[in-house]
Amino acid sequence: MSETKLSCACGQVTVEAIDNAPCAFSAICHCADCRSITGAPFFWANGWPSDQIKVTGETISHVHIQNIRHSCAKCGSFMFEPVPGFGITMLPAARLNNPTPPMMHVFVKSKVYQLPEDGLPRFDEMPPMG
Ligand SMILES: [Zn+2]
Ligand SMILES: [Zn+2]
């Protein structure tokens, strides 16, 4: 079993990284989409290749701008979001049992809250991947 795992607030849905695959991407996103779904001033995302993510439990989904976002069907916790253009699935890092520290800030141009300087690179949008 994987050690990298998260559960929703009610425990009905779990998401895990298959074979404890390493996190491929970690960023703090300031975009309007992330703020909309989390209700928070920014979203800390940990991403894995989409084929390395296993979901257990019943989820509901909705299309938001261009991505499909999945939440627990019972408690509504936002659980995961595949990003087709990058081939990775974003998970809410703050709910993971072992989150990977952020590597960068992205979509800083959309920020509503200015985090203090933390030494991480800051990008107006998404930097080129790979
Ligand atoms: Zn739930
Ligand atoms: Zn975002």
Side-chain angles (χ1 to χ4, degrees):
M1 288 295 282
S2 163
E3 293 173 7
T4 299
K5 194 170 188 176
L6 65 89
S7 299
C8 62
C10 79
Q12 194 253 139
V13 178
T14 58
V15 182
E16 59 190 289
I18 295 169
D19 295 330
N20 211 26
C23 174
F25 177 79
S26 178
I28 291 176
C29 184
H30 298 261
C31 84
D33 292 11
C34 288
R35 288 188 281 104
S36 170
I37 195 147
T38 62
F42 49 81
F43 174 60
W44 178 18
N46 275 188
W48 275 263
S50 293
D51 60 1
Q52 292 175 5
I53 292 294
K54 180 183 169 212
V55 179
T56 306
E58 186 187 353
T59 58
I60 54 174
S61 62
H62 75 284
V63 178
H64 190 81
I65 313 297
Q66 49 187 322
N67 295 335
I68 299 176
R69 304 199 156 187
H70 301 261
S71 305
C72 172
K74 190 173 166 192
C75 72
S77 301
F78 170 47
M79 297 303 288
F80 65 98
E81 176 188 351
V83 184
F86 295 111
I88 60 176
T89 292
M90 299 297 189
L91 308 183
R95 209 180 282 134
L96 280 162
N97 59 338
N98 56 350
T100 296
M103 307 159 179
M104 65 185 84
H105 294 265
V106 297
F107 290 100
V108 172
K109 71 173 185 183
S110 303
K111 72 178 186 301
V112 293
Y113 179 73
Q114 178 71 54
L115 285 167
E117 184 55 53
D118 54 13
L120 296 175
R122 297 182 180 215
F123 298 94
D124 273 349
E125 295 187 347
M126 194 73 172
M129 297 286 282

